[in-house]
Amino acid sequence: MRHHRLSLCGEHLLPWVRAQVARAIRKYRMFGPDERVLVAVSGGKDSLTLWDILLDLGYQADGLYINLGIDGYSDASQAKAEAFAVGKPGARLRVVDVRGEYGASIPELARAHRGRKTCSLCGLVKRHIMNQAACEGGYAAIATGHNLDDEVAVLMQNTLRWSVGYLRRQAPVLPPEPGLARKVKPLCRVRERESAAFALVRGIDYIYDECPHAAGATTLFYKDILNQLENRSRGTKEMFYLNFLQAREQYDLFRAEREQVALHPCAHCGQPTTTPGLCAFCRLWVPPEQADDLASACGQADEDDE
Amino acid sequence: MRHHRLSLCGEHLLPWVRAQVARAIRKYRMFGPDERVLVAVSGGKDSLTLWDILLDLGYQADGLYINLGIDGYSDASQAKAEAFAVGKPGARLRVVDVRGEYGASIPELARAHRGRKTCSLCGLVKRHIMNQAACEGGYAAIATGHNLDDEVAVLMQNTLRWSVGYLRRQAPVLPPEPGLARKVKPLCRVRERESAAFALVRGIDYIYDECPHAAGATTLFYKDILNQLENRSRGTKEMFYLNFLQAREQYDLFRAEREQVALHPCAHCGQPTTTPGLCAFCRLWVPPEQADDLASACGQADEDDE
């Protein structure tokens, strides 16, 4: 690990990565030792590494696997998540099957909503289900497996556009709002390589493939750019991320955008939404005319949130 | 010019680049048609292109060439600047010879101040001389040949570090302060390729070599990174730069740093400085003990500005 001027064998890697995670949880006040955490588990290396570490650190961390119904990918990744849970003492996994629960898989939903990007639909569905599960289950926070490389790649994309709204919200912790659970990223200081090495040494069996729909090329492109920067000057990634967080805090950057948008409960599911009537998630599942009816029933005009 | 979805022959390139420059001068309120402008001329393509355009647009633009005394580079670049001025109606070039004026060339100065970077010393000297010439000559602004690629490369370096102080000051126009002339970058919307093409079509003979001391590798590295981003998504460079300027303005980013630092006149040259006694430029030319004496003579403690 050049950026830390550190070489670790497998035996010492494990406690080192765990300590990094424990430090991030404390430093960013993600959750306390007595709070229950819901880990969003995809079956990949990052989320399983995260779950493994949280359980070993003694946290009450349950898993949530969302089956998106993607052929040749979802069932395989669910199997990995379930196998991990079976072999891990204290691991409880909840599975939500999108097609079973709502009537359509992500690919089917994408076909019904041509013109919308599959990854954007999928993100909307996952956020909704995660939040619902966290709120219903009384969890203090939703933990996702975003690692440092993920965070830095997104930061670079948002910075190149100076997308103030996104730059304001990109953080290791997103505080809760009424009806919206806290979101935390305990691996935000752990690099992709370290997370993969951890999984390898721990013998965690994870799904290697990327989702076939993933805009993997874009993320990989930015990760490659960042690796070039890192290779030229070690520590660049971490500096970019940490200096961003510090400068934003210290100078209160992007605060002008911070005005609270008014949130209403969705007329159907009750989750908070900015659009009158149905939330963006519920609107996915009803024909447009019915959504209009529902919105009018609430005495509010229908607005497209896209 | 893929980013503009435009292909121009030589004949049409010239007015197009001139119009870009004219638009930037107006848009960023760099200077008015009756104001006198001092162009910092290095003998390279950008500064000669800039000077050529300003004169053809009808501005009262004089040139300032600073001979830094760099073997095998300064005399050659001075010759290019002088040859241009001789062949250009209305072009008046002032030459300041650093060794002749102050007693040491930049390389000699660097040898006398080991531990300080040559490029940083050189920048300090050039800024001082440019400002002095502009103030003495009653010019409304100093115009430098920074092009879009230069600006974007610097923006990327500053953004990767979130150097708030630099991010605050990077602009097409730096407003004047008492004793400090306004600084403007009329080529800030013109790409390096466009500037080079302009010089080529116009038959401007410029020095191709980079300064032998230049930290060219670093700038070239960032320009290469930005070209990769641009090749993936055309317009990225311009978007990065323009969105930065717009977001900074709109959300008043980095304003916390904007508190005025107190400026005093230098005890020797009279130019504004933040350090008591001698300014950083004048301090270069006197032995340390003498600088201390001068500072004490002003009844102020000596502080190192490095």
Side-chain angles (χ1 to χ4, degrees):
Chain A
M1 291 173 290
R2 283 180 60 207
H3 50 291
H4 293 297
R5 298 173 188 265
L6 199 63
S7 296
L8 293 177
C9 64
E11 190 193 339
H12 290 102
L13 173 82
L14 300 183
W16 185 86
V17 174
R18 284 190 200 108
Q20 289 276 88
V21 173
R23 201 174 305 131
I25 292 170
R26 279 197 308 274
K27 179 178 167 68
Y28 300 110
R29 296 189 191 135
M30 293 185 176
F31 41 82
D34 300 325
E35 290 187 307
R36 293 173 59 237
V37 180
L38 185 64
V39 183
V41 175
S42 70
K45 66 180 186 321
D46 296 311
S47 58
L48 290 179
T49 286
L50 171 61
W51 197 12
D52 184 75
I53 291 174
L54 291 182
L55 287 170
D56 287 347
L57 289 174
Y59 288 104
Q60 303 169 58
D62 295 339
L64 170 67
Y65 177 85
I66 301 174
N67 191 309
L68 305 160
I70 296 167
D71 270 353
Y73 175 74
S74 290
D75 292 343
S77 60
Q78 180 172 339
K80 301 288 186 188
E82 286 176 336
F84 175 86
V86 166
K88 183 81 189 174
R92 290 188 306 173
L93 181 69
R94 182 180 162 192
V95 174
V96 173
D97 179 67
V98 175
R99 190 196 275 119
E101 198 84 23
Y102 299 97
S105 67
I106 293 295
E108 289 163 355
L109 204 57
R111 278 192 290 276
H113 295 273
R114 289 183 195 285
R116 296 184 65 172
K117 288 189 181 149
T118 305
C119 298
S120 143
L121 283 176
C122 183
L124 169 61
V125 168
K126 285 192 292 189
R127 281 193 302 276
H128 178 92
I129 294 174
M130 284 192 287
N131 189 59
Q132 188 171 39
C135 292
E136 285 176 3
Y139 292 94
I142 299 165
T144 54
H146 296 93
N147 61 41
L148 179 67
D149 295 77
D150 296 329
E151 289 299 285
V152 172
V154 169
L155 178 59
M156 168 142 282
Q157 291 179 67
N158 289 334
T159 305
L160 282 171
R161 295 191 191 93
W162 291 91
S163 303
V164 170
Y166 287 115
L167 289 170
R168 176 176 65 81
R169 284 174 55 85
Q170 189 178 355
V173 176
L174 269 185
E177 296 184 39
L180 290 175
R182 189 190 313 160
K183 285 186 175 173
V184 301
K185 298 169 185 165
L187 297 189
C188 66
R189 301 289 294 273
V190 175
R191 283 158 188 255
E192 197 154 289
R193 288 182 57 188
E194 294 158 3
S195 167
F198 186 96
L200 189 74
V201 174
R202 281 291 281 162
I204 294 173
D205 183 26
Y206 61 88
I207 186 154
Y208 291 88
D209 301 334
E210 292 279 326
C211 169
H213 294 277
T218 299
T219 307
L220 288 180
F221 171 75
Y222 282 101
K223 286 184 176 173
D224 174 57
I225 291 282
L226 284 153
N227 285 335
Q228 292 179 49
L229 292 164
E230 178 78 21
N231 286 340
R232 183 173 172 93
S233 176
R234 75 175 74 168
T236 296
K237 285 184 202 174
E238 218 143 16
M239 182 186 67
F240 181 42
Y241 185 61
L242 296 181
N243 286 10
F244 160 69
L245 294 179
Q246 201 207 318
R248 185 176 60 181
E249 175 85 10
Q250 183 176 348
Y251 300 108
D252 199 16
L253 303 181
F254 315 125
R255 84 218 166 287
E257 281 285 273
R258 197 169 297 162
E259 290 117 39
Q260 214 68 37
V261 275
L263 292 174
H264 317 277
C266 166
H268 181 252
C269 73
Q271 284 200 32
T273 176
T274 53
T275 50
L278 291 182
C279 72
F281 175 82
C282 289
R283 207 172 297 198
L284 289 178
W285 308 95
V286 291
E289 56 290 359
Q290 207 176 325
D292 286 347
D293 290 350
L294 262 161
S296 336
C298 307
Q300 289 171 317
D302 187 43
E303 275 175 25
D304 195 355
D305 61 311
E306 285 301 289
Chain B
M1 292 174 289
R2 284 181 60 208
H3 51 290
H4 293 296
R5 297 172 188 266
L6 200 62
S7 297
L8 294 177
C9 63
E11 191 193 338
H12 290 103
L13 173 81
L14 301 183
W16 185 85
V17 174
R18 284 189 199 109
Q20 290 276 88
V21 174
R23 201 174 305 131
I25 292 170
R26 279 197 309 274
K27 179 178 168 67
Y28 300 111
R29 296 188 189 135
M30 293 185 176
F31 42 81
D34 300 324
E35 290 187 306
R36 293 173 59 239
V37 180
L38 185 64
V39 183
V41 175
S42 69
K45 66 181 187 321
D46 295 311
S47 58
L48 290 179
T49 286
L50 171 62
W51 197 11
D52 184 75
I53 291 173
L54 291 183
L55 287 170
D56 286 346
L57 289 174
Y59 288 105
Q60 304 170 57
D62 296 339
L64 170 67
Y65 177 85
I66 302 175
N67 190 310
L68 305 160
I70 295 168
D71 271 354
Y73 176 73
S74 290
D75 291 345
S77 60
Q78 181 173 339
K80 301 288 185 189
E82 286 176 336
F84 175 86
V86 165
K88 182 82 189 174
R92 291 187 305 172
L93 181 68
R94 182 178 162 193
V95 174
V96 172
D97 179 67
V98 174
R99 189 197 276 118
E101 198 85 23
Y102 299 98
S105 68
I106 292 295
E108 289 163 355
L109 203 57
R111 279 193 288 277
H113 295 273
R114 288 183 194 286
R116 296 182 65 171
K117 287 190 183 150
T118 305
C119 298
S120 144
L121 283 175
C122 183
L124 170 59
V125 168
K126 285 191 292 191
R127 282 193 302 277
H128 178 91
I129 293 174
M130 284 192 287
N131 189 59
Q132 189 172 41
C135 292
E136 286 176 4
Y139 291 94
I142 299 165
T144 55
H146 295 93
N147 59 42
L148 179 68
D149 296 77
D150 296 329
E151 290 298 284
V152 172
V154 169
L155 178 60
M156 169 142 281
Q157 290 179 67
N158 289 334
T159 305
L160 283 171
R161 296 192 191 93
W162 291 92
S163 303
V164 170
Y166 287 116
L167 289 170
R168 177 176 64 81
R169 284 173 57 84
Q170 190 180 355
V173 176
L174 269 185
E177 295 184 40
L180 290 174
R182 190 191 313 159
K183 286 185 175 173
V184 300
K185 298 169 185 165
L187 297 189
C188 67
R189 301 289 294 272
V190 175
R191 283 159 189 255
E192 197 153 290
R193 287 182 57 187
E194 295 158 4
S195 167
F198 186 96
L200 188 76
V201 174
R202 281 290 283 162
I204 294 173
D205 184 24
Y206 61 88
I207 185 155
Y208 292 87
D209 301 335
E210 291 281 323
C211 168
H213 294 277
T218 298
T219 308
L220 288 180
F221 171 74
Y222 281 101
K223 285 184 176 173
D224 173 57
I225 290 282
L226 284 153
N227 285 335
Q228 291 179 50
L229 291 164
E230 179 79 22
N231 286 339
R232 183 174 173 92
S233 175
R234 75 174 72 167
T236 296
K237 285 184 203 175
E238 218 144 16
M239 182 186 67
F240 182 41
Y241 184 61
L242 297 181
N243 286 10
F244 160 70
L245 294 179
Q246 201 207 319
R248 185 175 61 181
E249 175 86 10
Q250 183 176 348
Y251 300 108
D252 199 16
L253 303 181
F254 316 124
R255 83 218 168 287
E257 281 285 273
R258 195 169 296 161
E259 290 117 37
Q260 214 67 38
V261 275
L263 293 175
H264 317 277
C266 166
H268 181 251
C269 73
Q271 283 200 31
T273 174
T274 54
T275 51
L278 291 181
C279 73
F281 175 82
C282 290
R283 207 173 296 200
L284 289 179
W285 307 96
V286 291
E289 57 288 0
Q290 207 176 323
D292 285 347
D293 291 351
L294 262 162
S296 335
C298 308
Q300 290 172 316
D302 187 42
E303 275 175 26
D304 197 354
D305 60 311
E306 287 300 293

